[in-house]
Every structure is written in C-alpha cells, then in structure tokens.
C-alpha cells in the first residue's frame, strides 16, 4: 500500500486537522470527528446534519457551509459514524427549528442515525431523517438491504440546504430532500479497486482488461464484471441502467463523478459521452457537475448521477452556496 | 458464573478478535467493504479500556457497558448490532451476581431478539444471526436436556454446544445469498463466501467456551 | 493501460468536447484546441492567454473565465501547443489593450509561445510574455533549461487575471504576473508514475517503498529517488526545499496540489503537516488551496506551492473569480 | 537531387519515424516525458498530408513546407526545432530545381544554424545538435575531399558519411549529462541514456542516405 498518510490508524483525525487548518469558515471537532460551520446555528433555520464513513471526500465535510450542511460526522474509513457524534452534531446545530438528518442507505448508517435520532428526540430536538437511496445497480427488493445512497447525496444536501437557508420549516425541508432523492438515480463503474489504509491491499482485484459494473462507494465489488471498453460505451451502459429505472427526459441535473483516482481529463471525456447520450434521448443536462465529489479513496472509475429538475429544484440548485467543495453565488 | 467470569469472556473475545482481525477483514473484503476486523478490534479495544476504568459490579452491568461501548465506538452495521446484543443480554441479567447456564440462555435469547429487532434479519439472510440463533438454540437444548445447572463441567459442555453451533452456523452462510447488509448488494456474487459477522459471532462464542473450560 | 478514454489518439478533443458541454460560460474551439470565455474580449481589458500540454487538468482550460484567463490553448498530452493556436487565441481575446502570454518554462512551451508572440506582434497585437519558473527542484544554472513552471502558474493566472479585470494596462498586468512568479516556489513528490495514453505504460517504475522527489508535472522522473515515509516527513522535505530557496515567513498563499491520482483525504493529511511546518517557522498560510489543480494525468503524489503575499497580491487573490475550477465572489 | 528525391527522403523519414516510434518514445520516457516518438510521428503524418495536397515545385519549397508543417503540428520542443531546421534548409535552397551535395551541405548548415539560434544548444548539451552538427561536418568534409559533385554514387557516399556521423553523434550523447531540454531537469540522472532528439536526427539522416542509394 502506498499512501500519503502518517499512520493507517490516524488517517481520519489527520485529515480533519488539515480540513480545520485549510478552512477558516469551518469549525472542526477533531476528537469527535465532526465538521461544523464556524458561524454556529442560526435561530429559526433548520439544521442539516449528514455524515458517513470517511474515504468519500469531499463528501460530507466538504459540503458544510452556507447553503448546504450545518455539520458532518466523519466515521472511520468506510465505517458509519457512531450515534454519539450525531447526537452531538444535532444538538449543536439546532437553531430551534429542528434538524434534518441526511442518511445514505447503508445498514450501518441507518442503524446509527436511527439510534441518534431517537436519543436526540428524547433530548428535545425535533429530528427528521431522510434516506438517500439512488443507486440503481442494487435492485430494491425484499432480497437486499435496499438501494445504496451515492451521488444523489450531494444533490439532496445542496438543494435541501438551499431551502433551509430561506427559513423553510423542517417538514418542508424534509419534503424537498425526499423529492430530490425520489427524482435521482446513480450508477457507477470501477476501473480499479481501492485500498483502505487498514486493510492495506485492494479490496478486490481487477485485471487490466476488466471493469466492475454497478459499484458502490466502498470499494465493494459491483454486481457484474465486464470487459473494459471505450469510455463512450461504458457511459452508455451506465446511462441505459439509469434510463431503465427513471426515463431520462426533460431538464436534468447531471453529475459525472470521479471515484478519486481518475483524473479530470478522463471525467470530461465521460461527460462528453453523457451529453451525447442525453441528446440521443432528447433530454438535456440543464445543470451539471464534473469532478471528484463522492469518492471511494483511490479507486479509478466514475459514476453518473441524474436528477429530474423542476423549476423549484433548479432555483434551489442555483442558489448561493459556500462550502470547501461547492461554491457559487458568493 | 460471576462478574470475573464475564470479564474474562470479554477479554478473551477481545484477544481472539484482535488475532483474527485480518481474517475477518479479508472475509469482509470479499463481500463487503474490508473493515469488519478493524471495526471489531477497535470496538473491543475501547471495551477493554472502558472495563478497566468502570469496573462494573455485576455480570449484567458489565455486559451492558460492553454493549454501550460498542455502540459508541464501532460504527458501521456491526457496532449497533453487537452493541445491542450485549446491552440486551446484560439488561436481561438484571443485578444477579451469579449467573446459571439457564439464566445465561434466556439473557442471550434477549440479546438475539434485540439484534433481530434492530436489523430485521431472519436466519438464512447471511448475517451474524445465522451464527447467533443456532447458538442460542443449542444452549437451550443443552439446558433442557439436563446436567446439573450448578456444575461447571456441565455448564462448559452446554456452552461448548452453543459455540459449536455458532461455528456450524457461520459455515452454513457460505452457500447463502445475502439478503441483508452490504453483501446483499452483490446479489448472487455473495454466494460462496462466509459472512464476516457470522464468523465473528462464532469467535465470540468460542471465547465464551474457552473461558468456561478454564 | 486502463483509462476512461475512447481512443488514445482522440483524448484531447474528446475531453474538450466534454468541457464545451459542461460549461456554458466557455466557448471551446475543439478543432483548434482552444478554450475561450463565451463572452468574448472586453474592450480595454488586457487579454490573458495561457496554454500548455494536456494532462494537467484543470490547468489551463479550467481557469478560463471572469477574473482569470481569457483563453487557454491545449496541446497534446504533455506536449506544448503550437504557435497557430496561440496566434489564434491571442487575436481573438485582444480587446485593444494587448495580450499577456503566461508561459510555463519548458523548452517546448517557450519556443512555441515565442514564435507565436513574434507573429502576433507582426499582426499588430501588443504581446507581453511572462515566464513561470517556480520549481525549486531544478537548479537554475547554465547547466539546465532553467526551473520548470508548475503550481505557481495558477497563482500567476489568478492574480494577473484579477488585475486585468480592473482595466490595468498591459505593462502593469505583466509586472504583477512577474512579481507573483518571483515570490513563488514549488516542490513536488510522486508516489507513482503516470501513464500517457500514447505510451500506454508508466513513464517510470517505482517500487512500493519508493518515492520520487522533485518531480515536475510531465511524469518525468525527479532528481532523486528516496524511501516512502510518513506524509509529515515528505511534507517536511518539500517545505525544507522551498525554505532553502525562499525563506518561509510572513503571510503566504499555500497550495497543496494533488497530481491527479491522490485522493482528497490524503491531500488534507498533507495540508495538516504543511500548516504544522509553517507554524514551526513562524509563517502563516493566510490563503490556501487544497485539491487537484495542476496535475500529471493519473500520477499519485502532491506538490506544495507557496507565494509570499503582500496586501496588493492578497487583494487580487481575494477578488472574484468564476471559472470551472476556481470560483468565489460570484 | 530534384524535388522527387527530396519528397522520397521525407517519405522515407516518415516511414522510419513511424516504425521507430515506440523506441523514440521509450528513449524519451527514460529522460523526458515519453512523447518524442508520438510527436514526430504526428508531425510527419501531417507532413505527408500537406505534401500530398500542396505538391511543391522545388526542393526548397518542399522542405520549407515540411518545416512549416512541423511547426504547426508537432508542438513541444522538437516541433519548433525540427520545423526551423527544415524551413531554414529549404529557404537556403532557394528556387533551385536540382541540388548538388555541396549545395545540400550549405543548406543543412543553415538549418543547423537555425536550430542553434532557436534552442541555443551547443554540442555536448545532449540534444539533437549532437547528431546534427557532426553530420553536417561530415558532409562538408566529404564534399571538400572530392568526388564528382554530379555523380550520384559519390553523392550517396557523402550522405552516407553524414548519416554515419549522425548515428555516432547520437550514440555519443549516452554518457553526457543533459544541459538543455527536459532531460536537464534530471541532472546526473540523465547520464547513461541516448537523447531521443539525437536518435531521431540519426533516423532522418539515415532516411536521406537510404534514398540516395536507391
Ligand atoms: N441487518 C442486519 N442484521 C444482522 N446482521 C447484519 C445486518 N447487516 C449486516 N449485518 C452483519 O454485519 C456484518 C458487517 O459488519 P461490518 O463490516 O462491521 O459493518 P459494515 O457492513 O457497515 O461495514 C455482516 O457480515 C453481517 O453479519
Ligand atoms: N534547446 C534545445 N536545443 C536543441 N534541441 C533540443 C533543445 N531542447 C530539447 N531539444 C531536443 O528535443 C528533444 C525532445 O523532443 P520532444 O520530446 O518531442 O519535446 P518535449 O521535450 O517538449 O516533450 C530532446 O531529446 C532534444 O534532442
Ligand atoms: Mg464499513
Ligand atoms: Mg464492513
Ligand atoms: Mg512533451
Ligand atoms: Mg518529450
């Protein structure tokens, strides 16, 4: 394993110390692994708390700031954070209007956030939880833990965050968050595995001519292995999978997301193919992001996320945001 | 079985989880995210620390503290699940200073019920429940079939049956397709691998047996 | 070689098509490989043109937009663009106030930009050229082609771009650009080589326990090979090299830059070490960037760039910028 | 040597650059950025295309077009340098329809001067100049030492001496430490490798020789 780290056991606090040093707009509780806005809670504003395992940077800490999250809890690499962190974050960001938990649908995240929500409620904070489960690679049925939460988490955090900034009530913010999730789908493809610092070797092995289709963001193998092929064809595979689940039409918010080890030049090549694919279906990327936003350590690969926009969602997407990883309008 | 016995169990469990950490993580790499061994090792290290400072007076208090610590320190799926298991087991033991095998059985049963309620996994879903449920059942049978509930040899035998059932249960997950947890994302590709949580449950019950035969 | 590409021969135009599709604020001439602001030249504003080989994304195309470049010429991977592109870009962005060429100091870039500047001048455009040569790994002497231009290019483009936006004359914009370069230094360390699409295999081989010290941004080997060690120690090596050349004191602009294949979590770990190192020297990162900005395809590694700020430069750094890769204040 | 002869030279140079592309790129990988073969191959492909459409009337016009095309299409260090080399050589040939070896020598001398002026590399700096300069010198000597300037066999021999000198010159770069171009960044680590530009110069002159002996 070759990583720019000090010690496999201190990866998360070491990185959080860097986040703290780099971003004066954030307050980082390194011991409890929580990233807050430095400005603290705003009275009457719904607080947004998210969190999850580390290794997906900039998700979630990089999305804390005006117009997006109020706090993010960082777990160990690929391991959901614990209820204590969530409870601490929840009470710290409550401005009296309640707190929204944005939870990616993994058993660990769900169980820990559920415990935290119950205990926070007992402490008198109004909490609503929204589950993100956008990954069409997982068939949602009795036979799985349900779809995973992946790229759409960014969409939910941005759009719900923008609405919260307007002073909308908790129920409204939760409604729009669920709406974004319901309108969003993702599909990911890996060209390589990733190596967690603790394990020290790649989670799975891929030959030079293979890709994993339908991967999540934890280095877990995908649903099938397939032959490496031109970017255009890989994108078509992903887009077809999305379309099968949610017809691609009208104005879309589109993200071509890198898994951490894929350079930007390749992501733009993929985005060109996405734009072509959408044109072929008569749909349009009204808004887009191309970059490394929801990553899986050093994995090479990409995911495509789409959200069917309406005027309300487009307006909230365009609203100002000021976080380390997403910034416009201020 | 007194509080010292239970402290030894947890100590032994911590030791064996630590020495089998790589194996558990490797099992998780195959059908999960390669962290199960690291997660449990981190959790049991925190447990050892918590027990060292708190020094609980009864078996019930001890196991409850173990559970709370796991919930607070592990994260992931296994943190709340194992945490709940030990908490519910501990709570079921009440304030008793001395625990019989029969009492242990009902407490473990409560622990299992807690895991089931939280994770809603049934047997056959390829989770820790596939090791835990048969273990509790085996203990129940051993208790029912007799022996002297106060005789330590008979207790060790009963616990040995439970540990063996856990091991068999863990192995029985190999041909299963996962329906819960991260492994379920793999669909049919989850077949052919032992579930890491079931494997760690077998380890934890083997530790109980090891301590009972000392 | 495993890359998300269609064909090794079409990497640059394919990526430029993606840039065009993703950024409505840009106009991309895919045939001539030039990225322009969609808004065209502004009368009386000095135009800023840069460019270089591809494979360093987001540099340079990702820095075209308000407050930064007016045009960027993209060469083949790791190959400087040709004079025709530069001439075309220069005449297209001239708003009557002349054009600044920002040139990284590599023989190829220098020669091609020199030819372009001469021909553009013959066509009646006033052109000034600024050479960026910030890489302290190369001893500047009679015995080398001089220091390479690396991370400071971003600083020069941002700060000169901000000044140009105020309507400052060409000589002033060139002066501030040279000043930024004179105050800036960089040093890079690679944990892996990179693979150009045309070559198809890594430019050099590194074992699992080695790093290359003093690398540039073209996958070229560094000056020495050394043992892999904790991030903190690698950072200290880099910082010491910078300090030896330009004492680290006072307020600094600092960039911890990823080489393309290193995930953000590791860059933050490095940034924590940079902040510690600076504190130890009584210096301060008054402004900073942490991310993949000046990359070398899929190389794993990082570079640290510093610029000694004064009030003028700090103000220009803080001025609004709106490009695909750097955005604040609007 | 007429325009057809020079067209054949360039054709042969394109062929050999293309077939040696990987080797040139590998040389560049060792002390540069692994693109020299790709760069030249792209350039000569564009040259072939340009010659196919423009059909220049004289050797001078042809070589000038070759140079301009290389400048326009190659980029990097070698684009302007080789481009200048061919342009200056072509310009020095003026409108002549037929070129003697002596005339070729003075023209190549002008090409070399152009490369020197642009890149300011001296012999021994480990660049293409280390192949080009001895080649031009060898041609000069061959011309001076006689032979019938109009006899094709003597011309081929003279050109053969130039090509051999270029090859020797390219090999002479191996022990040198680079002082120009990308390889100079490596300092002492540039020692022990053949300069890719010198290697391609040797190829281009070998192509000239091949055509002269047909
Ligand atoms: N719903 C569930 N009910 C019971 N056990 C579960 C459930 N989901 C997962 N598990 C157990 O948790 C184990 C994985 O634990 P771990 O790897 O520590 O957490 P994570 O999956 O969050 O990385 C699985 O092997 C399985 O035995
Ligand atoms: N200043 C110079 N003068 C003469 N030749 C040079 C000079 N700099 C570089 N070269 C030649 O250019 C060759 C490299 O060409 P190429 O790889 O195509 O360009 P780049 O270095 O821009 O990638 C070197 O091997 C060397 O022979
Ligand atoms: Mg996990
Ligand atoms: Mg796991
Ligand atoms: Mg090059
Ligand atoms: Mg080169």
């Amino acid at each position: 394993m070759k990583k720019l780290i000090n010690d496999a056991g201190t990866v998360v606090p070491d990185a959080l110390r860097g986040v703290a040093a780099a971003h004066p707009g954030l307050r980082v509780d390194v011991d409890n692994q929580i990233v807050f806005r430095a400005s603290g809670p705003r009275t009457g504003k719904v607080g947004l708390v998210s969190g999850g395992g580390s290794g997906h940077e900039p998700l979630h800490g990089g999305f804390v700031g005006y117009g997006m999250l109020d706090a993010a809890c960082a777990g160990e690499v690929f391991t959901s954070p614990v209820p204590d962190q969530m409870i601490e974050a929840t009470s710290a960001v409550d401005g009296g209007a309640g707190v929204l938990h944005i939870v990616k649908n993994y058993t660990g995240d769900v169980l820990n956030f559920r415990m935290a929500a119950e205990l926070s409620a007992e402490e008198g904070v109004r909490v609503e939880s929204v589950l993100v489960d956008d990954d069409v690679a997982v068939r949602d049925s009795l036979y799985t833990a349900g779809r995973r939460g992946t790229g759409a988490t960014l969409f939910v955090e941005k759009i719900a965050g923008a609405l919260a900034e307007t002073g909308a009530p908790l129920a409204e913010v939760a409604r729009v968050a669920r709406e974004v999730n319901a309108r969003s789908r993702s599909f990911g493809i890996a060209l390589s595995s990733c190596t967690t610092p603790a394990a020290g070797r790649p989670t799975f092995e891929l030959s030079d001519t293979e890709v994993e289709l339908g991967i999540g963001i934890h280095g877990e193998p995908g649903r099938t292995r397939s032959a490496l092929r031109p970017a255009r064809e890989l994108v078509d595979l992903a887009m077809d999978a999305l379309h099968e689940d949610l017809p691609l039409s009208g104005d879309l918010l589109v993200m071509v997301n890198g898994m951490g080890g894929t350079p930007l030049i390749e992501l733009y090549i993929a985005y060109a193919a996405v734009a072509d694919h959408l044109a072929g279906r008569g749909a349009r990327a009204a808004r887009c992001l191309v970059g490394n936003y929801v990553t899986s350590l050093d994995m090479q690969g990409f995911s495509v996320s789409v959200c069917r926009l309406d005027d309300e969602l487009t307006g909230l997407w365009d609203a100002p945001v000021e976080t380390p990883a997403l910034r416009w309008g201020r | 079985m007194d509080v010292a016995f239970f402290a030894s169990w947890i100590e032994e469990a911590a030791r064996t989880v630590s020495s089998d950490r790589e194996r558990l993580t490797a099992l998780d790499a195959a059908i999960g995210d390669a962290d199960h061994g690291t997660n449990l090792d981190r959790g049991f290290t925190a447990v050892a620390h918590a027990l060292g400072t708190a020094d609980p007076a009864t078996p019930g208090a001890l196991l409850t503290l173990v559970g709370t610590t796991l919930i607070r320190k592990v994260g992931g799926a296994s943190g709340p699940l194992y945490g709940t298991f030990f908490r519910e087991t501990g709570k079921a033991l009440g304030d008793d200073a001395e625990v019989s095998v029969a009492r242990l059985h009902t407490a473990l049963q409560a622990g299992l019920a807690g895991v089931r309620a939280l994770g809603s996994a049934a047997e056959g879903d390829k989770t820790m429940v596939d090791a835990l449920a048969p273990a509790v059942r085996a203990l129940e049978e051993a208790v029912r079939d007799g022996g002297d509930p106060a005789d330590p040899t008979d207790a060790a035998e009963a616990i040995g049956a439970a540990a063996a059932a856990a091991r068999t249960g863990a192995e029985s997950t190999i041909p299963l397709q996962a329906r819960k947890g991260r492994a379920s994302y793999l669909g049919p590709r989850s077949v052919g691998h032992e579930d890491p949580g079931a494997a760690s449950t077998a380890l934890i019950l083997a530790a109980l047996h090891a301590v009972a035969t000392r």
Side-chain angles (χ1 to χ4, degrees), chain A, chain B:
Chain A
M1 175 183 56
K2 220 165 170 187
K3 289 187 184 294
L4 185 60
I5 61 176
N6 295 312
D7 183 297
T10 61
V11 162
V12 177
D14 286 354
L16 287 174
R17 288 203 314 112
V19 172
H23 303 293
L26 302 179
R27 178 172 70 80
V28 180
D29 179 343
V30 175
D31 289 340
N32 291 310
Q33 302 190 173
I34 313 176
V35 177
F36 295 100
R37 298 191 195 183
S39 53
R42 213 176 76 215
T43 312
K45 186 185 104 58
V46 169
L48 266 69
V49 171
S50 190
S54 293
H56 309 304
E57 292 68 24
L59 188 82
H60 297 269
F63 299 136
V64 174
Y66 181 88
M68 225 161 156
L69 298 179
D70 292 274
C73 305
E76 295 304 310
V77 171
F78 293 170
T79 302
S80 93
V82 293
D84 284 14
Q85 293 170 274
M86 298 156 181
I87 294 164
E88 164 75 19
T90 302
S91 73
V93 308
D94 184 23
V99 175
L100 185 73
H101 285 180
I102 299 174
V103 185
K104 302 195 296 302
N105 188 35
Y106 298 97
T107 307
D109 296 68
V110 169
L111 296 184
N112 286 283
F113 264 107
R114 191 196 298 163
M115 292 191 160
E118 281 169 20
L119 290 167
S120 291
E122 283 173 25
E123 288 180 9
V125 183
R126 271 192 302 145
V127 176
E128 282 260 10
S129 298
V130 170
L131 219 58
V132 183
D133 61 346
D134 53 315
D135 182 1
V136 302
V138 176
R139 309 269 161 241
D140 187 8
S141 75
L142 286 175
Y143 305 108
T144 67
R147 287 177 161 170
R148 297 175 286 222
T150 60
T153 316
L154 183 156
F155 298 166
V156 172
E157 292 177 0
K158 168 66 185 84
I159 291 175
L163 184 61
E165 223 56 69
T166 68
L170 181 57
E172 258 304 281
V173 178
R175 176 199 60 77
V176 96
R178 290 192 187 103
E179 165 115 24
V180 171
N181 181 57
R183 288 165 168 269
S184 297
R185 298 292 187 278
S186 296
F187 191 89
I189 297 179
L191 275 67
S192 81
S193 181
C194 60
T195 302
T196 64
R201 57 170 162 271
T203 304
F204 57 87
E205 293 291 348
L206 267 182
S207 85
D208 249 19
T209 57
E210 290 172 321
V211 295
E212 283 275 336
L213 302 179
I215 46 127
I217 55 173
H218 299 84
E220 62 270 54
R223 284 190 75 90
T224 44
R225 191 158 285 197
S226 178
L228 176 66
R229 51 196 100 180
R232 176 187 313 120
E233 292 175 28
L234 293 177
V235 163
D236 284 341
L237 278 174
M239 300 302 284
D240 288 343
L242 298 179
H243 181 76
E244 209 177 282
D245 206 86
L246 181 85
L248 297 170
S249 69
D251 278 3
L252 301 171
L253 165 59
V254 179
M255 174 167 68
V256 167
N257 171 61
M259 302 310 293
T262 289
L264 195 54
I265 188 170
E266 297 180 28
L267 298 180
Y268 275 116
I269 291 174
Y271 187 74
V274 167
D276 289 346
H277 186 106
L278 289 177
R281 292 200 185 275
R284 189 175 81 103
R287 298 291 184 275
C288 77
L289 286 179
V290 180
N292 288 284
Y293 292 103
V294 180
T295 61
S296 190
L297 291 172
D298 56 342
M299 177 180 272
Q300 292 182 342
F302 72 106
S303 62
V304 185
S305 298
V306 299
C307 173
R308 290 176 66 157
L309 291 170
D310 62 14
D311 288 348
E312 180 194 22
L313 300 186
T314 305
L316 291 168
W317 178 259
D318 289 343
V321 60
E322 183 175 348
T323 72
L326 220 57
R327 183 166 179 180
W328 54 76
R330 52 184 269 161
Chain B
M1 295 173 283
D2 59 4
V3 66
F5 173 89
F6 284 96
S8 303
W9 172 25
I10 299 305
E11 226 168 74
E12 175 62 14
R15 203 194 53 71
T16 162
V17 158
S18 171
S19 69
D20 278 38
R21 187 179 67 174
E22 309 288 325
R23 186 177 65 86
L24 294 175
T25 291
L27 290 177
D28 198 25
I31 55 171
D33 59 350
D35 64 359
H36 188 59
T38 322
N39 285 347
L40 283 195
D41 191 25
R42 186 174 62 251
F44 276 99
T45 304
V47 161
H49 189 257
L51 292 182
T53 45
D55 207 8
T58 61
L62 186 138
L63 293 185
T64 307
L65 179 59
V66 169
T68 308
T69 307
L70 291 177
I71 290 175
R72 295 178 84 116
K73 297 296 177 188
V74 174
S78 60
L81 288 164
Y82 272 126
T84 298
F85 170 70
F86 281 108
R87 267 177 68 87
E88 296 301 323
T89 303
K91 286 202 269 171
L93 290 177
D95 295 332
D96 294 8
E98 185 65 33
V99 173
S100 69
V101 189
R103 187 97 172 85
L104 179 63
H105 162 254
T106 42
L108 290 177
Q109 182 111 51
L112 170 61
V115 170
R116 278 207 169 113
L118 187 64
S120 29
E123 275 181 83
D125 282 354
K126 196 175 183 117
T127 70
M128 55 175 70
V129 171
D130 291 324
L132 203 50
V136 173
R137 244 187 340 259
L139 193 59
E140 180 171 21
E141 275 160 31
V143 168
R144 182 170 4 95
D145 294 356
D148 177 354
D151 179 341
T153 321
D154 287 357
E157 232 169 70
I159 288 171
R167 180 87 297 273
T168 314
E171 277 155 25
S172 80
T173 63
I174 297 176
L176 297 177
Q177 175 168 337
R179 281 193 288 243
K180 284 280 179 258
R182 225 174 260 291
S184 70
Y185 304 140
L186 291 177
R189 287 176 90 186
S190 63
V191 170
H193 302 274
E194 184 173 342
D195 177 65
S200 59
T201 293
L203 275 186
I204 290 167
L205 289 177
L208 182 64
H209 183 226
V211 172
T213 50
R214 272 182 195 166

